[in-house]
Amino acid sequence: MMNQAQLLLIDDDRHVLESMGSWLREIGYAVDQASNLNQAIALIDDRPYDLILADVRLGDEDGFDVLRHCRAHHPGTTVIMITGYGTVETGIEALRAGAFDLLTKPLIDEELEMAIQRALSQQKVMQENQQLKQQLDLRFGLENIIGHDHRMLRIFDMVDSVADTRATVLITGESGTGKSLLARAIHRRSNRRDQPFIEVACGALPENLLESELFGHVAGSFTGATGNKVGKFKAADKGTIFLDEIGTAPFSMQVKLLRVLQELQFEPVGSTETETVDTRVVLATNENLANLVDRGQFRQDLFYRVNVINLELPPLRERISDIPRLADHFLAEVCQDTGRRVHGFSSEAVAALQRYKWPGNVRELQNVVERAVLLSKHDEITPDDMPSSIASGAPVSVSRSTGTSLKEALEGPERQIIREVLESNGWNRNETADQLGINRTTLYKKMKKLGLEELAGQRGSL
């Protein structure tokens, strides 16, 4: 409760000190008392106080020295100054020096209590903001990007190396690999962490609105522009802008992007005035920009400009050793959010997770774990709690018969895997090929070679 706060009362008048201290204790505060500067500073350095009430005049000493000591050595401590000779100048001096308020004697009980409550309320808000910031740093920092795969560790090292620079960073990787999370981690680990982080999904906006969204516009610049609008680049000034799906940016927009990356300048739509910003740019794409350049869909000069630092996130199927850690992480999150008591995964469930190809990458794994926790009736996740397409990824036993070539030995497990995925997809070849990460022609050839073509015909496959 707020009235359990620890207060320090400083006044050289013994009568005021005793009477005010007694009254504050009666209304529930814990109060220490000091009658001079040295005694006050010794107490302040010895224990933490939520609030200090200090008289401006302490005999021949200055109560402002208490305030200056707190600002220098205990910046989280709130100080209210009290004076019997209140003037506008004294009030201004107190506030400029960092005091929360200046009260004038004689003090009215209600006025003092209200001032104390206001000070403690503000302190509580500041503490909550600090805790929230720490939570955000944890949530969006590298601490929340699970990965012990050697490629992920190399990415973490690169992030630490470039976080405090202005270098443009391009994050590439398949959908669901965590590009947005990595962009936020770069911002959180940089010296811009206290400034804005603005995210723009380039592919979600039509071409005629994207330019206005990024650079802003002035009133009357186009139909519907009834007022001035600040663009995302300006909103991210001193901070970071994250341009997701940059491969979808229209060719006409790419010219302006190139200029702002090189010169940090642009003109809002319909304006002739040049805006200058100090914005760090992080981009992401799940497309191969080099191929887009070859096809004439992405400017070559822009490609060279954005490809300064390239962080390539590997797909989850290539990070098999990270899957158990990620699954445990998501399991803990879901249990905390839902109150479910699920303690882990069976060895068969872990094996199934590691055999699955994860076309949706980390995002798909998160959804699968959430579904399993919500549906499980036991304290351990088993393959029965997972979609059939994943449960069928349990390990395949391989007989150790002698005289069998490696090619022949692998055909058995390959046949079993393809058959199980075909069955889970109702023998739909298109869905099976997508899930296995191969094209339909390759699937046809393998089915024919492994004797599954005839079986598919019997099942009336598509």
Side-chain angles (χ1 to χ4, degrees):
M1 294 178 63
M2 188 177 295
N3 61 354
Q4 297 301 308
Q6 184 74 40
L7 310 186
L8 175 60
L9 182 59
I10 309 169
D11 199 305
D12 64 334
D13 187 323
R14 283 285 180 182
H15 175 72
V16 171
L17 193 64
E18 294 297 336
S19 60
M20 189 183 301
S22 177
W23 177 74
L24 288 171
R25 292 186 189 95
E26 286 178 6
I27 62 175
Y29 292 107
V31 183
D32 287 337
Q33 297 172 188
S35 58
N36 59 63
L37 181 62
N38 290 336
Q39 186 181 7
I41 290 178
L43 286 169
I44 292 169
D45 290 341
D46 181 60
R47 69 197 68 174
Y49 289 100
D50 298 297
L51 177 64
I52 294 174
L53 298 159
D55 197 359
V56 171
R57 292 190 179 183
L58 299 174
D60 296 332
E61 298 170 324
D62 190 346
F64 276 100
D65 288 335
V66 174
L67 178 58
R68 282 187 282 270
H69 182 79
C70 287
R71 294 304 94 194
H73 303 286
H74 308 279
T77 303
T78 303
V79 179
I80 292 178
M81 303 300 294
I82 302 172
T83 181
Y85 308 92
T87 64
V88 174
E89 290 75 15
T90 306
I92 293 174
E93 181 185 0
L95 295 177
R96 283 179 174 173
F100 175 79
D101 202 352
L102 177 70
L103 303 180
T104 305
K105 296 178 181 178
L107 294 174
I108 302 172
D109 290 351
E110 291 79 5
E111 178 188 9
L112 177 59
E113 186 174 10
M114 188 175 297
I116 291 173
Q117 290 178 353
R118 283 202 313 270
L120 294 176
S121 294
Q122 185 193 62
Q123 186 182 65
K124 182 180 179 182
V125 170
M126 292 175 65
Q127 290 173 347
E128 290 175 348
N129 287 343
Q130 182 63 28
Q131 291 171 359
L132 179 59
K133 181 181 180 299
Q134 292 172 352
Q135 292 172 4
L136 289 172
D137 285 342
L138 178 62
R139 181 178 179 185
F140 296 119
L142 287 177
E143 295 83 357
N144 198 48
I145 303 179
I146 309 299
H148 287 74
D149 178 88
H150 69 280
R151 285 162 296 187
M152 295 301 295
L153 295 177
R154 188 163 60 245
I155 288 173
F156 298 160
D157 288 340
M158 291 180 67
V159 168
D160 281 332
S161 298
V162 305
D164 276 338
T165 70
R166 276 211 67 259
T168 301
V169 177
L170 176 64
I171 305 172
T172 56
E174 297 178 5
S175 295
T177 49
K179 296 187 289 295
S180 177
L181 197 63
L182 187 61
R184 290 180 180 273
I186 293 171
H187 175 72
R188 286 284 170 187
R189 294 182 82 86
S190 75
N191 52 18
R192 298 170 181 259
R193 66 180 64 86
D194 295 325
Q195 302 300 324
F197 177 88
I198 305 295
E199 182 171 351
V200 181
C202 298
L205 295 168
E207 180 176 350
N208 60 331
L209 292 181
L210 182 58
E211 183 176 1
S212 170
E213 189 72 15
L214 291 178
F215 305 114
H217 64 249
V218 297
S221 56
F222 55 85
T223 303
T226 57
N228 295 342
K229 177 182 178 178
V230 175
K232 300 297 188 184
F233 266 97
K234 189 67 175 179
D237 192 22
K238 310 298 183 192
T240 304
I241 189 168
F242 173 49
L243 304 179
D244 199 8
E245 304 174 54
I246 189 61
T248 64
F251 216 77
S252 58
M253 176 60 58
Q254 295 175 25
V255 179
K256 271 204 164 187
L257 283 176
L258 179 61
R259 182 190 173 200
V260 75
L261 287 172
Q262 290 177 334
E263 303 173 12
L264 299 177
Q265 292 184 332
F266 60 89
E267 287 82 34
V269 177
S271 174
T272 58
E273 294 187 9
T274 299
E275 300 272 6
T276 301
V277 292
D278 175 18
T279 304
R280 203 283 178 73
V281 181
V282 179
L283 311 98
T285 181
N286 58 10
E287 301 186 67
N288 188 317
L289 293 185
N291 289 345
L292 295 182
V293 170
D294 292 340
R295 297 201 298 266
Q297 297 174 350
F298 199 84
R299 290 180 62 96
Q300 187 178 56
D301 49 3
L302 179 59
F303 172 66
Y304 291 140
R305 187 63 188 80
V306 302
N307 198 32
V308 179
I309 303 293
N310 182 202
L311 303 179
E312 184 175 358
L313 284 170
L316 187 56
R317 62 181 173 274
E318 296 178 9
R319 298 169 51 195
I320 294 177
S321 62
D322 282 340
I323 290 176
R325 293 185 179 92
L326 284 162
D328 287 338
H329 173 74
F330 294 137
L331 174 70
E333 282 189 339
V334 177
C335 289
Q336 182 177 0
D337 290 342
T338 63
R340 295 295 181 100
R341 295 186 177 182
V342 180
H343 303 307
F345 299 82
S346 69
S347 58
E348 294 83 1
V350 173
L353 292 175
Q354 290 185 302
R355 292 295 296 269
Y356 184 59
K357 296 303 182 181
W358 299 108
N361 291 293
V362 178
R363 187 184 297 126
E364 183 183 7
L365 174 61
Q366 183 176 13
N367 293 337
V368 166
V369 172
E370 181 177 5
R371 173 187 184 274
V373 171
L374 295 177
L375 295 181
S376 178
K377 293 180 172 55
H378 308 286
D379 60 358
E380 186 179 61
I381 301 296
T382 69
D384 292 338
D385 301 314
M386 301 175 182
S388 58
S389 58
I390 297 175
S392 65
V396 180
S397 61
V398 180
S399 62
R400 297 187 177 182
S401 57
T402 57
T404 303
S405 68
L406 177 62
K407 183 177 180 181
E408 292 171 337
L410 292 175
E411 284 182 355
E414 186 178 33
R415 184 180 190 278
Q416 185 174 340
I417 292 170
I418 292 176
R419 177 173 177 172
E420 287 175 346
V421 178
L422 280 165
E423 288 176 345
S424 69
N425 288 315
W427 292 83
N428 185 304
R429 299 179 186 182
N430 286 333
E431 292 180 6
T432 299
D434 290 341
Q435 187 171 323
L436 291 171
I438 59 178
N439 60 48
R440 186 169 177 171
T441 302
T442 301
L443 177 61
Y444 286 169
K445 291 179 179 178
K446 288 183 177 294
M447 289 175 64
K448 186 174 182 180
K449 182 182 72 172
L450 299 171
L452 293 171
E453 185 71 23
E454 183 177 349
L455 185 59
Q458 296 172 358
R459 300 297 177 95
S461 66
L462 297 176

